[in-house]
Amino acid sequence: MSSRTLPLLFINLGGEMLYILDQRLRAQNIPADKAKKVMNDIITTMFNKKFLEELFKPQELYSKKALRTVFDRLAHASIMRLNQASMDKLYDLMTMAFKYQVLLCPRAKDILLVSFNHMDAIKDFVKDTPSVLSQVDETYRQLIEMYTPLSSGEFQLIRQTLLIFFQDMHIRVSIFLKDKVQNSNGRFVLPISGPVPHGTHIPGLIRMFSCNGEEVKRLQFRNGGNYTGVLREGSFEMFGERVIKLGTNMYSVSRPVETHMSGTSKNSAQKKSVNTTPNPLAKEELNMLARLMGGMEVQKPGNADSGFRVNLFATDEEEEEALISRPDEFSYDVIKIQATKNQQANAELAKIMGDFTEEAGEPCSSSANSKGDDLLAMMDGL
C-alpha cells in the first residue's frame, strides 16, 4: 500500500464535500454572509498548518470509520450543523464521486490533475480571503513538490491503493444513474471510447520489428471503440489548464442528488458475521487519528442562534427515513474519544477528548479501565 495516498484522498474528498455543501447552501437560500463563513471556516480548518503537517507525513491509509470521523469534524468546523442522515449522505456523495474520478483517470498520474482541479476550486471559494488563500497556496506547493517527481509506477500504486479503499462501496447516486454511468447495482460503467491516455497511440495497429530494430510488418485490427488522440497534457503547475474535467464541480447545474444503498438490506447487514478479534493496529490508528485531529482548529458558534442546520434531503421526513433505513454496514458511528485517569499521560488525546465532549455537551468519563483495553474498545471495528 502506498504511503503517499492519504493527502490526495483527503484533498479530493474535501473538494467534493465543498462542492456539495456550496450547492446545498444555495438551494436552502442560506444568507450569503453565513454561507461564505461556513466555506471559509471549513477550508481554514482543512488547510491548517499543523493539521497538514500530520497529513503529509508518510503513513498508510486507515479505516473508513476513522476517515469519516475526520470529515464529520470538518463539516462541523463552522456554524453549520448536519444531522446524522445528512452527514451520511454527504459522505456517500463525496466518496462515490471521487471513486468515479479515480476509475475514469486515463493515466494513474492524472489523479494529480484531478487533485489540482479540486484545489483550483477551493482557491476560488476563498479568493476574497487572503489569509486562507495563502494556506491553500502553501498546500499547493507541497503537492507539487511531493507528487510531480513520482514515477508512473508510483502513481499506479497510489491508484490501486485508492481503488482498494473504495472497492466495497457501491452506493447509487441519482446523477450517475441519470447519466447512465452507474448501474442499478451501484457499479460504474466505464467507457470503451474517447481520448486515449497522453503519450499513447490509438489502438488498432500491430508493428513487427526485426532483430535489428527495423520495422518489417504492420497489421491492422478492429479496436472495438471510437478512440481519439489527446492533443496535450494537462498542466502540473500551480496555474495552468488541467485539460481533463474530472474533479470539477458536477453540481454547477442545479439538479437534485439522491443516494441509495445497493444490493443489501438492513436484515442482511445484521446477519453479516462480525469479527470480534481485536485489531492489533487499532491503538496505533487511534493515536494517528488523535494527532491528525489535534491540528484541527474547529470554530465554535458564538451563540446558539448563530448556528443553522443544513439538510441534504428534500424534507425532514426524508432525512429521518434515510437514517432509519440505512443498512448497518454503511453506518459510521461517531467515534467518541475518551481519556481516563490512566490516559492523562497522553496530553494530545486528552485535549481532543475535551474538544469532543465540549461540543457534544457530554461529561468526561472518570472510569479507571486500562489504557490498552479502552483504546481497543474505542477503535473496535475500525
Side-chain angles (χ1 to χ4, degrees), residues 151-176:
S151 67
S152 296
E154 289 172 305
F155 273 111
Q156 184 62 27
L157 182 56
I158 288 173
R159 183 175 186 271
Q160 290 300 320
T161 303
L162 289 170
L163 291 177
I164 291 171
F165 181 83
F166 290 125
Q167 66 180 347
D168 296 325
M169 304 181 71
H170 307 295
I171 300 165
R172 293 175 293 164
V173 178
S174 60
I175 286 181
F176 295 141

Side-chain angles (χ1 to χ4, degrees), residues 17 20-21 67-76 80-94 259 310-313 319 323 326 330 332 334:
M17 179 178 72
I20 298 164
L21 291 178
L67 192 68
R68 162 63 192 266
T69 300
V70 173
F71 279 102
D72 191 290
R73 191 158 171 86
L74 263 181
H76 294 90
M80 178 191 69
R81 292 295 173 263
L82 297 169
N83 286 345
Q84 183 176 333
S86 285
M87 187 65 216
D88 288 340
K89 180 176 179 179
L90 173 63
Y91 192 72
D92 289 343
L93 288 171
M94 291 159 49
T259 58
V310 169
N311 186 354
L312 268 73
F313 296 84
E319 185 180 46
L323 180 61
R326 187 177 181 83
F330 288 100
Y332 298 96
V334 175

Side-chain angles (χ1 to χ4, degrees), residues 5-14 17 51 55 59-75 87 91 94-95 98 162 165-166 169 285 289 292-293 296 332-333 335 379 382:
T5 308
L6 184 59
L8 294 183
L9 177 62
F10 174 79
I11 285 168
N12 284 284
L13 289 180
M17 179 178 72
F51 176 66
L55 190 71
Q59 55 191 291
E60 302 300 329
L61 286 186
Y62 37 85
S63 70
K64 295 179 179 67
K65 281 190 177 182
L67 192 68
R68 162 63 192 266
T69 300
V70 173
F71 279 102
D72 191 290
R73 191 158 171 86
L74 263 181
M87 187 65 216
Y91 192 72
M94 291 159 49
T95 51
F98 185 44
L162 289 170
F165 181 83
F166 290 125
M169 304 181 71
E285 184 173 64
L289 183 62
L292 193 62
M293 298 186 69
M296 300 175 73
Y332 298 96
D333 296 332
I335 300 172
M379 297 299 286
L382 294 188

